[in-house]
């Protein structure tokens, strides 16, 4: 009996030593998201936290209220706490250089999440979607839906653009993809832009603000459409801006047609607008998959590996390894780019099939806890 008790004691001691060793081994990941005020980042934060925790990592998740100083402080705190890996979705891609130099000095690897972080050699990798392709999908949707044909200039249409935050490196890619795709039709006079606002700078929306997009569209409608000019297309780079633009069209557009309104993200309010016919499409980015790719990459980095194209084999989502497109001013940042796709009223069920959304009557709700 004594023997059994002492054997059990030894076993318990060995087990507790194991657990302690494991706990000491458990690495912590610091995740810095820009803001809770834009829906998608709530989902990103939740999926990243869930997936890293499930893989046995400690997680520190911070949101910085779209405030650049706060994000620098928040990341500074994560560095001081001694996290082993940083995953950062920047508010302003140009403003983290000094803070991330501190991360580098402390030997903490950094993954730029969704938005490229500029002018820092502290970034090891970039995980995002093919941002230019997001814009291409929006532009191509307009071409297909209106049936535009470069050989047929008999029918012309009016279009207005709304782009994103100039501080977000993605915003130029989205606008560029859409504008380049539509440019041949603009040059041929098939698509006209009554406001004359043809450059990114003229149509950018600081902080991706819904209210600013609403105001800008109200001004455009008042200045260029109050005489009965028909608006056929409002090309919006993402859902938060599309929300404001759709509101301006509902309240301030005199025409009787419903213009095509594009978006990006699959935010719940926009999916409702798609059901209600106030928005025509959204470019969907599965951010649970984006978190999953980040997890595989993070695991490899923390295991001391130098991931490359070979990592693609361990991913469950479709992605490309890109070593050409994203130069952050210090050189090319190797990138894992996921694939965005178009959702319309007819394909909403595709979102439910991902398990990330569910039907609530005629509308969709997110199955994520935070949205
Ligand atoms: C971009 C992101 C988009 C959109 C936007 C506003 O950087 O890629 O998906 O969410 O920010 O949050």
């Amino acid at each position: 009996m004594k023997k059994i008790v002492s054997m059990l004691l030894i076993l318990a001691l060995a087990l507790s030593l194991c657990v302690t060793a494991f706990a000491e081994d458990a690495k912590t990941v610091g995740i810095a998201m820009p803001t809770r005020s834009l829906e998608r980042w709530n989902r990103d934060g939740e999926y990243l936290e869930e997936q890293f925790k499930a893989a046995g990592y400690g997680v520190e998740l911070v949101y910085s209220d779209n405030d650049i100083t706060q994000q620098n402080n928040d990341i500074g705190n994560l560095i001081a706490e001694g996290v082993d890996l940083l995953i950062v979705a920047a508010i302003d891609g140009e403003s983290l250089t000094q803070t991330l130099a501190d991360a580098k000095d402390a030997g903490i690897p950094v993954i730029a999440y969704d938005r490229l972080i500029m002018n820092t050699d502290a970034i090891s990798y970039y995980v995002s979607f093919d941002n230019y392709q997001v814009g291409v999908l929006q532009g191509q949707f307009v071409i297909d839906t209106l049936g535009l044909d470069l050989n047929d200039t008999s029918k012309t249409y009016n279009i207005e653009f709304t782009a994103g935050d100039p501080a977000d490196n993605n915003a130029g890619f989205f606008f560029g993809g859409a504008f380049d795709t539509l440019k041949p039709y603009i040059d041929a006079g098939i698509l006209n832009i009554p406001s004359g606002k043809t450059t990114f700078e003229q149509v950018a929306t600081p902080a991706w603000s819904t209210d600013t997009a609403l105001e800008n569209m109200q001004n455009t409608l008042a200045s260029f459409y109050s005489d009965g000019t028909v608006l056929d297309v409002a090309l919006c780079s993402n859902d938060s801006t599309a929300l404001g633009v759709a509101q301006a069209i509902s309240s301030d557009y005199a025409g009787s047609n419903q213009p095509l309104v594009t978006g990006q993200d699959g935010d719940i309010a926009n999916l409702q607008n798609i059901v209600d016919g106030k928005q025509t499409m959204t470019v969907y980015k599965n951010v649970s998959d984006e978190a999953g790719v980040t997890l595989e990459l993070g695991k490899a980095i923390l295991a001391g590996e130098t991931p490359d194209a070979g990592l693609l084999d361990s991913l469950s989502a479709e992605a490309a390894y890109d070593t050409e497109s994203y130069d952050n001013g210090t050189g090319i940042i190797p990138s894992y780019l996921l694939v965005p796709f178009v959702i319309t009223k007819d394909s909403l069920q595709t979102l439910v099939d991902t398990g990330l959304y569910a039907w609530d009557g005629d509308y969709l709700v997110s199955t994520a806890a935070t949205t």
Side-chain angles (χ1 to χ4, degrees):
M1 183 66 179
K2 246 186 176 174
K3 224 176 181 182
I4 295 177
V5 171
S6 56
M7 265 173 71
L8 277 175
L9 273 174
I10 290 170
L11 206 70
L13 188 71
L15 249 172
S16 83
L17 277 176
C18 264
V19 169
T20 321
F22 181 74
E24 272 169 9
D25 257 344
K27 302 219 158 114
T28 300
V29 178
I31 302 172
M33 291 287 115
T35 176
R36 285 199 179 278
S37 68
L38 294 160
E39 184 194 305
R40 71 156 288 185
W41 304 110
N42 294 280
R43 290 186 272 120
D44 288 271
E46 179 174 334
Y47 296 137
L48 283 164
E49 181 170 37
E50 220 172 70
Q51 294 183 26
F52 272 92
K53 277 190 173 163
Y57 296 96
V59 171
E60 291 288 333
L61 171 63
V62 295
Y63 282 86
S64 307
D65 212 13
N66 256 348
D67 179 326
I68 297 164
T69 310
Q70 191 182 328
Q71 188 167 51
N72 273 291
N73 290 339
D74 287 339
I75 295 172
N77 289 337
L78 292 172
I79 295 168
E81 280 172 34
V83 296
D84 298 285
L85 171 69
L86 275 169
I87 298 167
V88 178
I91 294 165
D92 180 335
E94 309 269 349
S95 72
L96 293 172
T97 310
Q98 185 49 52
T99 303
L100 294 184
D102 296 344
K104 192 179 178 187
D105 287 347
I108 304 169
V110 184
I111 298 174
Y113 182 84
D114 201 83
R115 299 170 171 174
L116 187 61
I117 306 172
M118 310 304 287
N119 306 327
T120 166
D121 63 357
I123 305 295
S124 337
Y125 292 94
Y126 177 43
V127 176
S128 194
F129 285 78
D130 184 334
N131 295 304
Y132 187 80
Q133 179 65 10
V134 169
V136 170
L137 289 173
Q138 293 168 338
Q140 194 56 46
F141 180 85
V142 171
I143 294 168
D144 296 343
T145 309
L146 296 179
L148 304 186
D149 177 355
L150 282 173
N151 297 315
D152 178 6
T153 50
S154 63
K155 185 123 183 49
T156 62
Y157 300 89
N158 292 331
I159 183 169
E160 296 295 341
F161 289 84
T162 298
D165 187 349
D168 177 350
N169 187 62
N170 288 353
F173 282 92
F174 301 147
F175 177 79
F179 200 87
D180 293 350
T181 305
L182 295 174
K183 191 164 183 302
Y185 301 88
I186 296 169
D187 291 346
I190 296 171
L191 287 176
N192 296 310
I193 309 172
S195 71
K197 293 177 194 161
T198 55
T199 65
F200 173 75
E201 290 71 22
Q202 286 172 310
V203 295
T205 313
W208 295 95
S209 156
T210 298
D211 290 345
T212 305
L214 164 67
E215 266 172 48
N216 289 346
M217 195 59 186
Q218 282 175 326
N219 291 338
T220 297
L221 290 172
S223 306
F224 304 98
Y225 292 86
S226 58
D227 61 355
T229 301
V230 172
L231 175 66
D232 297 292
V233 183
L235 195 136
C236 306
S237 283
N238 89 326
D239 279 353
S240 61
T241 54
L243 208 57
V245 166
Q247 207 177 318
I249 290 171
S250 297
S251 60
D252 289 52
Y253 176 51
S256 53
N257 66 310
Q258 169 59 52
L260 297 184
V261 179
T262 69
Q264 168 194 192
D265 286 334
D267 287 352
I268 290 300
N270 299 77
L271 297 176
Q272 292 188 354
N273 270 356
I274 289 178
V275 171
D276 293 339
K278 293 178 182 170
Q279 183 171 327
T280 325
M281 62 90 90
T282 190
V283 176
Y284 186 67
K285 307 202 292 198
N286 185 323
V287 296
S288 174
D289 285 346
E290 191 174 8
V293 171
T294 308
L295 171 63
E296 292 309 320
L297 176 62
K299 272 175 26 187
I301 295 171
L302 287 170
E305 295 161 21
T306 310
D308 55 20
L311 187 82
L312 297 177
D313 297 337
S314 63
L315 303 180
S316 49
E318 191 188 342
Y321 182 62
D322 181 313
T323 52
E324 282 169 17
S325 306
Y326 291 97
D327 187 327
N328 83 337
T330 65
I332 299 277
I333 306 298
S335 308
Y336 294 91
L337 303 176
L338 292 98
V339 183
F341 58 91
V342 169
I343 287 288
T344 63
K345 191 172 182 172
D346 294 335
S347 55
L348 288 170
Q349 179 60 33
T350 316
L351 296 186
V352 176
D353 295 342
T354 63
L356 304 173
Y357 296 82
W359 287 108
D360 179 12
D362 290 341
Y363 296 110
L364 292 190
V365 288
S366 168
T367 54
T370 50
T371 49

